[in-house]
Amino acid sequence: MRRPARRPTMKDIARRAGVSESAVSFALNDRPGVSPATRERVRRVAEQLGWQPSTAARALSGEGAATVGLVLARPARTLGVESFFLRLVSGVQEVLAERRLGLLFQVVEDVAAECEVYRRWWAEHRVDGLLVVDPRHDDPRPGLLDSLGLPAVIIGGLEPALSDGAVEYPAISQLRTDDAGAMASIVDHLFQLGHRRIVHIAGLPELAHTQRRTHSLRAAANARGLTEVRSVSTDYSDTEGAAATRAVLAGERPPTAIVYDNDVMAVAGLAVAAERGLAVPGDLAIVAWDDSVLCRSTHPGLTALVRDTSAFGRRAATALLALLDGGSAVHVLDERPRLTPRGSTVRDAR
Amino acid sequence: MRRPARRPTMKDIARRAGVSESAVSFALNDRPGVSPATRERVRRVAEQLGWQPSTAARALSGEGAATVGLVLARPARTLGVESFFLRLVSGVQEVLAERRLGLLFQVVEDVAAECEVYRRWWAEHRVDGLLVVDPRHDDPRPGLLDSLGLPAVIIGGLEPALSDGAVEYPAISQLRTDDAGAMASIVDHLFQLGHRRIVHIAGLPELAHTQRRTHSLRAAANARGLTEVRSVSTDYSDTEGAAATRAVLAGERPPTAIVYDNDVMAVAGLAVAAERGLAVPGDLAIVAWDDSVLCRSTHPGLTALVRDTSAFGRRAATALLALLDGGSAVHVLDERPRLTPRGSTVRDAR
DNA sequence: ACTCCATGCTAAAGCGCATTAGTTCATGAC
DNA sequence: GTCATGAACTAATGCGCTTTAGCATGGAGT
């Protein structure tokens, strides 16, 4: 039974380099107070010993925890259906890794539990900042985080209208998605293909982006004089997606096109169409909001709104770093996702 | 601009309760040395102040970091295709949350980078233990973690044959999946349906479970005297899954049944069948290893190997907690996944 | 009566680092 | 030759917690 190696500390470096601990600290943190020669020597010894700063000790002496947090509040049932998050996280990490920041991750059931986690992390000194996803109307989280003094980036930010009226927090940035533009491009596409009856099978109604999309759909429809256009909300699950699809298709004057708020429901919708003997895109056109492997794997392929989720994650992380560096809060609009037509709306596409 | 609240410390509690800091520590950690009355009083004050221990300070005084790590080494391209991980993580968290342990999460490109992360986390004092996924043949990770003295649970552990011959590490548990049993149940199912030519479209060949499945398939085929059975490896992506499917279907004596190592490739395979005009399950039967929304959303539904991934995560986390509590390493075989027949193998199923 | 020993508590040290306040020593100004 | 100056470095303190050692107090044992 081997005894595990002891972690080297600055004291070890100091001894080996024949200087004081403070000199080591200065040398390694690019602070003035040591000669270039000493700095170099200390650096070499540190390297040689494989020294890494203890985040615990750093955090304790006021340097922050070198960690950002991300909490996912989704009921267990609708979890794991979206590949969105893993891609988002992988983008986030690319940026965080450069600064050696860790990502503390947690999955909880609801927003109340999420707030509890934030409080705990704050009290435990665990994180320096947060990435907040799934912003919602009357969201308690920005206010809470502000009162705790924790910087944060709201991913897929709040409606400017909402946040203009509300308080602006000095350390909370918003990275908004261009839902209005995206929805307009979808309606455009479907309109040009001749569709006049469109149903939007949306996600959770309390989420801010669901509301934005619903509003945008109505606006786009009004602009074109379309009256038979509406949104139906679900919980993002395949089950509710399929049920909603059956419901609208069974109604009188069923839609000729359906826009789904995620890939999973779109695939479920495609299966419902097959089950009812409807030809896609002949009898029913399908559009998925957010592309993924799924949309490319079905037959026909699903027309989808493609965005570079990984880049989105990178931008979010970058915005958070700016805040951590003392920058002031910003409010940015992310680039508009591109609509990629495939076989579920256009006959000759694959 | 409001000044954020200061975190309460044990000193604050001590002052308010009129005792020394040490008494507070004893009281809050259920250590002997304080009277029940004092203990209760201290507890009340702590509660009232909303005190939470600073993990940084705790970690520094030798209590561990109250955090476990999980690194996902997947090339960016194949990332985000599997819902498996999010479900696994959600199960893991349920168990960790009870003990207020955090989960430090990182996505990297390959195993070498993963090892780097382990070294860094170790030196930085960031984690107390690790969950290791995607074990592979000649895996460098168990040895590394052992030498660093970091407890770990290998999720989907190594072959007993392999690890028997190799060194057994005192603080590394293995949670094995019953790939052999599962593969046998699949072959059983297909054999009874009359299939004699079966192809297994596997995942990354270097992964231990890919090898186990491949071996098990051969064994199961031999046991039944089947000669036209083989495995093909891929990178788990829909692209390679589809390509492999096209390749085997184009060969002479094409299979009548294909077993896919994940849900994404199975769906891609289904699309290829549709594209070639093959009836499923009439001309081609399809089985997916690991169920997900996907398998239920296609038409026909995909026969899949169902396991409770969240429970699997819970078991893994529990095993890690046992190690952190000083328990000795164990080697457990997880329960066998159940094969759920659906329309892709059985005609009258949905 | 005395020691002996729990009991309930306080004082102090230490974890690894950053930081502030010295200390030493050469250099340059005058 | 003296004195101020700044560079290069050391000593000491604190972050919030755990832990060990120490210190009274009071009751049991002989």
Side-chain angles (χ1 to χ4, degrees):
Chain A
M1 172 127 177
R2 183 159 29 132
R3 185 179 58 251
R6 198 174 64 81
R7 297 167 173 82
T9 73
M10 288 197 352
K11 190 181 284 179
D12 300 323
I13 301 178
R15 194 165 24 220
R16 292 266 287 246
V19 292
S20 71
E21 280 186 66
S22 352
V24 174
S25 177
F26 294 149
L28 296 174
N29 293 313
D30 281 325
R31 292 239 176 308
V34 284
S35 66
T38 309
R39 191 183 299 277
E40 188 47 39
R41 185 158 40 96
V42 168
R43 282 226 182 97
R44 250 202 309 277
V45 174
E47 169 95 7
Q48 184 183 328
L49 257 48
W51 177 87
Q52 299 280 90
S54 149
T55 48
R58 277 231 162 117
L60 201 52
S61 41
E63 283 296 273
T67 307
V68 308
L70 173 60
V71 180
L72 205 52
R74 290 274 173 120
R77 196 165 48 85
T78 63
L79 192 77
V81 294
E82 300 200 48
S83 53
F84 177 81
F85 285 103
L86 221 44
R87 281 179 292 163
L88 181 78
V89 165
S90 98
V92 165
Q93 304 250 355
E94 277 180 47
V95 175
L96 295 185
E98 291 167 17
R99 298 271 285 257
R100 329 197 108 208
L101 293 176
L103 181 70
L104 200 58
F105 183 59
Q106 179 121 21
V107 182
V108 297
E109 274 286 305
D110 52 37
V111 175
E114 183 176 344
C115 289
E116 272 316 294
V117 172
Y118 291 154
R119 283 181 197 286
R120 197 152 54 78
W121 281 355
W122 168 77
E124 291 180 349
H125 240 114
R126 266 183 185 274
V127 296
D128 300 327
L130 290 159
L131 294 169
V132 177
V133 295
D134 289 342
R136 47 189 72 207
H137 188 61
D138 275 335
D139 201 314
R141 294 170 294 174
L144 170 64
L145 294 175
D146 176 65
S147 75
L148 296 177
L150 280 173
V153 172
I154 313 285
I155 296 184
L158 295 163
E159 200 65 28
L162 298 176
S163 50
D164 272 359
V167 203
E168 274 294 332
Y169 303 111
I172 300 192
S173 286
Q174 313 244 357
L175 180 54
R176 262 179 48 235
T177 47
D178 186 5
D179 294 286
M183 185 56 99
S185 69
I186 292 176
V187 173
D188 254 353
H189 177 69
L190 293 175
F191 187 84
Q192 281 178 18
L193 290 168
H195 295 281
R196 296 298 178 266
R197 294 200 303 277
I198 304 173
V199 166
H200 167 216
I201 296 195
L204 293 166
E206 60 269 32
L207 297 187
H209 71 253
T210 300
Q211 299 175 4
R212 280 202 299 270
R213 293 179 191 178
T214 302
H215 288 146
S216 308
L217 174 65
R218 201 167 322 157
N222 287 343
R224 285 173 188 75
L226 300 178
T227 55
E228 296 178 290
V229 167
R230 63 205 166 97
S231 295
V232 181
S233 60
T234 68
D235 67 354
Y236 281 120
S237 72
D238 61 320
T239 320
E240 290 206 4
T245 306
R246 287 199 190 90
V248 300
L249 290 179
E252 45 184 302
R253 303 188 65 73
T256 62
I258 303 185
V259 180
Y260 292 88
D261 252 6
N262 70 6
D263 47 359
V264 172
M265 292 196 295
V267 173
L270 184 64
V272 169
E275 151 198 316
R276 299 177 67 96
L278 293 176
V280 174
D283 302 322
L284 181 70
I286 291 180
V287 176
W289 197 297
D290 263 348
D291 191 27
S292 80
V293 176
L294 289 193
C295 301
R296 279 167 272 139
S297 302
T298 55
H299 189 84
L302 295 176
T303 292
L305 210 54
V306 179
R307 56 175 156 170
D308 187 343
T309 310
S310 175
F312 188 53
R314 286 198 295 273
R315 278 189 284 271
T318 306
L320 185 54
L321 287 188
L323 281 177
L324 294 182
D325 289 342
S328 52
V330 295
H331 208 119
V332 269
L333 184 64
D334 203 60
E335 64 186 20
R336 174 183 304 189
R338 291 167 296 102
L339 185 68
T340 301
R342 296 208 183 90
S344 69
T345 57
V346 182
R347 204 174 307 269
D348 56 348
R350 60 155 223 98
Chain B
M1 172 127 175
R2 183 160 27 134
R3 186 179 59 252
R6 198 176 64 81
R7 296 167 174 82
T9 73
M10 288 196 354
K11 191 182 282 178
D12 300 324
I13 301 177
R15 195 167 21 222
R16 290 268 288 249
V19 293
S20 71
E21 280 186 64
S22 351
V24 173
S25 177
F26 294 148
L28 296 174
N29 293 313
D30 282 327
R31 292 237 178 307
V34 285
S35 67
T38 310
R39 191 182 299 277
E40 187 48 40
R41 185 157 41 95
V42 168
R43 283 226 181 97
R44 251 202 310 273
V45 174
E47 169 95 6
Q48 184 184 330
L49 258 47
W51 177 86
Q52 299 280 90
S54 149
T55 49
R58 276 232 164 119
L60 201 52
S61 39
E63 283 295 274
T67 308
V68 308
L70 172 60
V71 180
L72 205 51
R74 290 274 173 119
R77 196 165 48 85
T78 62
L79 192 77
V81 294
E82 299 201 51
S83 54
F84 177 81
F85 285 104
L86 221 43
R87 281 178 292 163
L88 181 78
V89 165
S90 97
V92 165
Q93 305 250 356
E94 278 180 47
V95 175
L96 295 185
E98 292 168 15
R99 299 270 285 258
R100 329 198 107 208
L101 293 175
L103 181 69
L104 200 58
F105 182 59
Q106 179 121 20
V107 182
V108 297
E109 274 285 304
D110 51 36
V111 174
E114 183 176 343
C115 288
E116 273 316 296
V117 171
Y118 291 154
R119 283 181 197 286
R120 198 152 53 78
W121 281 354
W122 169 78
E124 291 180 349
H125 239 118
R126 266 184 185 275
V127 296
D128 301 327
L130 290 160
L131 294 169
V132 178
V133 295
D134 288 342
R136 46 189 73 208
H137 189 60
D138 275 335
D139 200 316
R141 295 170 294 175
L144 171 64
L145 293 175
D146 176 65
S147 74
L148 295 177
L150 281 173
V153 171
I154 313 284
I155 296 183
L158 295 163
E159 200 64 27
L162 297 177
S163 50
D164 272 359
V167 203
E168 274 293 335
Y169 302 111
I172 299 192
S173 286
Q174 314 246 358
L175 180 55
R176 261 179 50 235
T177 47
D178 187 4
D179 293 286
M183 185 57 100
S185 69
I186 293 176
V187 174
D188 254 353
H189 177 67
L190 294 174
F191 187 84
Q192 281 178 19
L193 291 168
H195 295 280
R196 296 298 178 267
R197 294 199 302 278
I198 304 173
V199 167
H200 168 217
I201 295 195
L204 293 166
E206 60 268 33
L207 297 187
H209 70 254
T210 301
Q211 299 176 4
R212 278 202 301 269
R213 293 178 192 178
T214 302
H215 288 146
S216 308
L217 173 65
R218 200 166 324 154
N222 287 342
R224 284 171 189 77
L226 300 178
T227 54
E228 295 178 289
V229 167
R230 64 207 165 95
S231 295
V232 181
S233 59
T234 67
D235 67 353
Y236 281 120
S237 71
D238 61 321
T239 321
E240 290 208 3
T245 305
R246 288 199 190 90
V248 300
L249 290 179
E252 47 183 302
R253 303 188 66 75
T256 61
I258 303 184
V259 180
Y260 292 88
D261 252 5
N262 70 6
D263 47 359
V264 172
M265 293 196 296
V267 173
L270 184 64
V272 169
E275 152 199 314
R276 299 178 68 97
L278 292 175
V280 174
D283 302 322
L284 182 68
I286 291 181
V287 177
W289 197 299
D290 262 347
D291 190 29
S292 80
V293 177
L294 289 192
C295 302
R296 277 167 273 139
S297 302
T298 56
H299 190 86
L302 294 176
T303 293
L305 211 53
V306 180
R307 56 175 156 170
D308 186 342
T309 309
S310 174
F312 188 54
R314 286 198 293 274
R315 277 189 286 270
T318 305
L320 185 54
L321 287 187
L323 281 178
L324 294 182
D325 290 342
S328 52
V330 295
H331 207 119
V332 271
L333 184 64
D334 202 60
E335 65 187 20
R336 174 183 303 190
R338 290 168 294 102
L339 185 68
T340 301
R342 297 207 182 90
S344 70
T345 58
V346 182
R347 205 174 307 270
D348 56 348
R350 60 157 221 97

